[in-house]
Amino acid sequence: MLFWLSLHFIIGLTGTWMVRGYALRRDLLDHPGERRSHNIPTPRGGGVAIVIALLVAACVLGWRNPHQFILIAGFTMGLLLVAGVGMIDDHRPLSPWLRLSVQAMAAGIFALAVAGTWGDLSMAVLAFVAVMVLTNIWNFMDGINGIAASQATLVAVGLAFVLGGSWFWLTLALAAACLGFLPFNFPKARIFLGDVGSGSLGFALAALLVTALAGLGQPSHGILLLLPLSAFLVDSGLTLLRRLLMGERWWTPHVQHAYQRWAAGAGTHALVTLMYAGWTAAAWMLAWWLATRTEGQMTLWCALWFTMTAALWGWLQHSYSNRKEPQAAAIGKGRK
C-alpha cells in the first residue's frame, strides 16, 4: 500500500510542477477580473497530473482485474473525455454547451459500463445523473485555494473504507494524487486545477460513489454516502437555484457561492477551505455512526444534517452578501 500511495503522490507532485512550467511557457494564465476570485495572474491546468495518476491506476487495475474490465474501461474512457474537453477549454475557452455535451457522452459511456457490469438499468441511470451532477459541481466549487482538491481527498479517503477490490486502490490513487497537487494550490495558489482538473475530480468521485452504492449490501445505507458531499451539494445547488429564480444567466462566471463570499469577506481562503474540510470530516463520522442505526434514524439524521447545512448557507449568504467582494488572493481556479 505504501508503494502505491507514494507512486501516485509523486505523480501528482512532480506532474503538477511540470504542468506549471508548461503553463507559464505557454502563457496559460487566469487573469484577475470582476467575476474572478484572485488578484494575480496564475497558471491553470494543474489537474492534468491528477488525471495522469488516475489513468495509470486504472490501467494497472484493469490489467490485474480482467473480470472488471468493462467497468474500468468505461471509467477510463469517460475520464479521458471529461479531461480532454477540460484541457482544450483551459487552452482556449469553449462553449459551455459543447463541454456539457462531451460530459454527457462521458456519463453515457460510464452508465453503459455500469449496465453491462450489473445489468441494472436504475444503477445505469443513477451513474449518468451522478456524473453530470458531480462533474459540474466540482467545477462550480473550484474557486478558492485548495477547496476542490481537499474535498476530493476527504471524500475519496472515506469511500476507500466502503469500496473493496480494485476500486479501493483506485480511490487511494485519487487521494494520493490530490495530496501531491495540494502543495501547489494551498494555502497559496501557484497553479489552479483548471477545467481539466475540476471536471475530472467530479467525474472520478461520481464513478466511485456509484460503484460504492452498487456494492453496498444494504441499499438504504446509500443515503449516508451523500453526507460527505453535503457542503458542495448545498452550496452549489442553492446558489444555482437562487440565480435561476433571479433570472440571471446561471451558466456565466460569478462569485456568489457561500464559500466565495465568506472568503472575500473574511479576507482569507485558508480558513474557509479548512472549515469546509472540517464539515466533511464531521459528515463522515456521522455516516459511520449511523451505519449501525435503523433506516428511520438514518433518514431523520440525514434530513437534519442537510437542513443544518442549508441554514448555514443562508447565514453565510446573509452575512456577507452586502459586503464588497474584493479581488481576493489567488485561488482555486479563477473562472468562477
Side-chain angles (χ1 to χ4, degrees), residues 19-234:
V19 172
R20 184 175 185 274
Y22 168 81
L24 289 171
R25 291 192 299 272
R26 292 291 301 272
D27 197 33
L28 298 179
L29 306 175
D30 274 341
H31 294 275
E34 182 179 316
R35 295 182 176 180
R36 300 181 181 180
S37 300
H38 61 285
N39 62 4
I40 59 173
T42 306
R44 61 177 179 265
V48 169
I50 298 174
V51 173
I52 292 173
L54 283 172
L55 291 174
V56 169
C59 289
V60 171
L61 296 172
W63 174 65
R64 290 184 175 180
N65 301 272
H67 62 285
Q68 289 215 320
F69 177 80
I70 293 177
L71 192 60
I72 295 176
F75 170 84
T76 303
M77 293 173 63
L79 178 64
L80 284 171
L81 280 172
V82 171
V85 74
M87 185 182 298
I88 294 173
D89 189 61
D90 286 332
H91 283 75
R92 56 182 183 86
L94 299 174
S95 161
W97 311 115
L98 176 59
R99 296 201 310 271
L100 197 64
S101 298
V102 175
Q103 291 167 4
M105 290 175 58
I109 290 172
F110 184 69
L112 288 174
V114 168
T117 300
W118 288 293
D120 188 335
L121 181 59
S122 61
M123 284 300 300
V125 172
L126 176 62
F128 183 89
V129 173
V131 167
M132 293 301 294
V133 170
L134 291 187
T135 296
N136 285 283
I137 281 180
W138 245 260
N139 185 269
F140 295 157
M141 298 296 289
D142 177 25
I144 64 172
N145 296 354
I147 194 167
S150 63
Q151 288 292 308
T153 302
L154 289 168
V155 174
V157 168
L159 285 175
F161 289 94
V162 179
L163 289 159
S166 58
W167 291 87
F168 169 80
W169 296 104
L170 190 62
T171 306
L172 291 183
L174 173 60
C178 286
L179 289 175
F181 167 80
L182 275 170
F184 292 91
N185 189 243
F186 183 83
K188 177 182 179 181
R190 290 180 284 164
I191 190 169
F192 299 151
L193 278 170
D195 280 317
V196 62
S198 58
S200 296
L201 285 179
F203 174 87
L205 290 171
L208 293 168
L209 181 66
V210 170
T211 306
L213 286 170
L216 285 176
Q218 297 173 287
S220 60
H221 287 191
I223 191 174
L224 301 182
L225 298 183
L226 294 180
L227 290 175
L229 299 172
S230 58
F232 269 28
L233 289 175
V234 170

